[in-house]
Amino acid sequence: MTEKEIGTVISGIESPSPSALDFVVNQGVVHRGQFVELDYSEGTMICLVTDVFKTNRYFERAESVKEFESSGAKLFEQFPTAEWEYLVAKTRPLGVFKGGLTNRATLPPGPGTRVRIASNENLKVFFHFDEKGLEIGKVENHDLPVKISMTSLLKKHLAILATSGAGKSFLASVLFEELLDRRKESGRIATIVFDPHGEYSSFADRNPGEGRIDYSAKTILVKAADIKIGVPKLSVNTLDSLIKGLSPVMKRELGKVLSDLQKKMRSGKGPFDLLDAKEEISKAEIGENTRGPLLAWISELQDLRLFGKIDNPGVFDLVQPGKLTVIDLSELIDLRRKQIIVSYIARRLFYARRDKSVPPFLLVLEESHQFCPQQSSEETAISRGIIQTIAREGRKFGASLCVISQRPIQLSTTVLAQCNTHIILRITNPYDLKHIGESSEGLDNRSLDMITSLRVGEALIVGEATHYPLFFKVRQRKSQESRHEMPLEKAALDFEASKDDKKKEIEEFL
Ligand SMILES: Nc1ncnc2c1ncn2[C@@H]1O[C@H](COP(=O)(O)OP(=O)(O)OP(=O)(O)O)[C@@H](O)[C@H]1O
Ligand SMILES: [Mg+2]
């Protein structure tokens, strides 16, 4: 037996087969989640250990064990029981190498075939790792960094799915660090994240904690309150997609008003806003049955306090190679306002990328089930259309999407199906699990079972990026942790301290 050999294939009712293979461990140990390999007629087979169990013939019959032990004697003291204990590993064959190619196994190896721990070199080739790729974690028990090429991870979109608190945002931060750390020669894309909880604004911190890297120079932080959508850039159709309620006649009249205002703007009158549009509507020759509802509809737009004479920030300021733009939506409560911002910015970015006026980008959508829900009506899913368009067509232009969600079952199936790579952290809800099993190709029941027992920061990547499902541990982050992760005790202490300070100030003043 060579040093790396650890076991021998055994014969069972359903194993070995091209899809299941059990082996007994002769030397050392093997862990669930580890990879093993063996040579046989079809090439080198790589298998994932899906379970390990210990058996011992002395302890097989419950009544005999009870009888013997209740007499006061101990089985393991009286008999050489340790010599009969053995470890059996259940594995799932993933594929077979031959001449540099990987194929599915069509024949099983014979019982008695020697099994080795898979070598890092073979795993790197098998999972299509890329030395220059994005390092998002480590293959546990193999001490092998998970480095995936930017193209295969992101080009055809990525979904990060897990129960709340399992580590989705942490993983997204790790991904951002990798994108920000890339050198110009390796190709840098722009990253834009819509951040409903303000948890990525820590990337803009000038003085991160000790040992943390300062990414502030590479981060553009945009607060929702400062965002303005420039009215002159809006077509009637875009406006209609942002807020429903325009009848065909209203659309026609509004179209005329907007084009008149645009003409005036070009002749030197400067850009216009909704107030100017209202004035123009009041003066124009429009039937009263149309004028009234149109003005009311514009008032509704004004109430959103999102529209101005020009875009702020401009789309070109938002996307820069090698930079992260955090659009902090945490101060907005109204979902409709959040959706309008997401919809408008995503639309501008997508079309700007289509005519190559901005760099390739990754658009990251936290809480994506809120922005591209499966069930809602068109009126309440304002941003869904453009997100689905990016999901369907973005890959052709270098407009990639990363959707993050704790409720995958509520997420648009069109979007989820277009995400060619899924990274799944712990999921406990059986409905979500079932949904993921159906939407992630290449996931079998055993891997699904393993998802429920993952710990925080442990993940399964499945899809185009690695070709075969791979469990891994997300690496530690280099950037400052989100301020939201403050322990409850510290938040309580800070609150009381700030109250005490205020009281002191008032006392001193009096
Ligand atoms: N890989 C990891 N290593 C160490 N700690 C981690 C890791 N992943 C997550 N954590 C910790 O677990 C907690 C929850 O992580 P995170 O906020 O990323 O979860 P989440 O899935 O985004 O949750 P939510 O759905 O509520 O947004 C945080 O305190 C984070 O620091
Ligand atoms: Mg999160």
Side-chain angles (χ1 to χ4, degrees), residues 164-165 167-170 197 199-200 366-367 404 406 485:
S164 193
K168 297 182 296 296
S169 305
F170 193 101
H197 303 300
E199 50 192 331
Y200 299 104
E366 270 274 0
E367 305 279 350
I404 303 179
Q406 69 266 31
E485 294 310 330

Side-chain angles (χ1 to χ4, degrees), residues 50-82:
T50 51
D51 228 334
V52 267
F53 56 93
K54 278 188 175 171
T55 83
N56 192 326
R57 186 188 284 187
Y58 277 95
F59 294 90
E60 265 173 11
R61 292 173 64 92
E63 75 273 26
S64 316
V65 175
K66 180 171 179 280
E67 190 76 10
F68 197 84
E69 300 260 312
S70 56
S71 71
K74 294 279 174 251
L75 261 170
F76 65 83
E77 282 169 0
Q78 308 265 323
F79 298 100
T81 49

Side-chain angles (χ1 to χ4, degrees), residues 190-192 218-222 233 310-321 323-327 345 348-349 352 357-359:
T191 308
I192 306 102
K218 292 180 178 174
T219 305
I220 304 162
L221 180 61
V222 181
K233 291 235 171 71
I310 50 169
D311 273 352
N312 180 54
V315 63
F316 297 100
D317 304 329
L318 280 179
V319 273
Q320 292 177 28
K323 291 208 173 171
L324 168 71
T325 304
V326 179
I327 302 181
I345 293 181
R348 290 296 315 272
L349 288 176
S357 49
V358 295

Side-chain angles (χ1 to χ4, degrees), residues 398-415:
S400 300
L401 200 59
C402 168
V403 290
I404 303 179
S405 175
Q406 69 266 31
R407 290 319 316 270
I409 203 161
Q410 290 171 3
L411 187 60
S412 148
T413 45
T414 312
V415 172

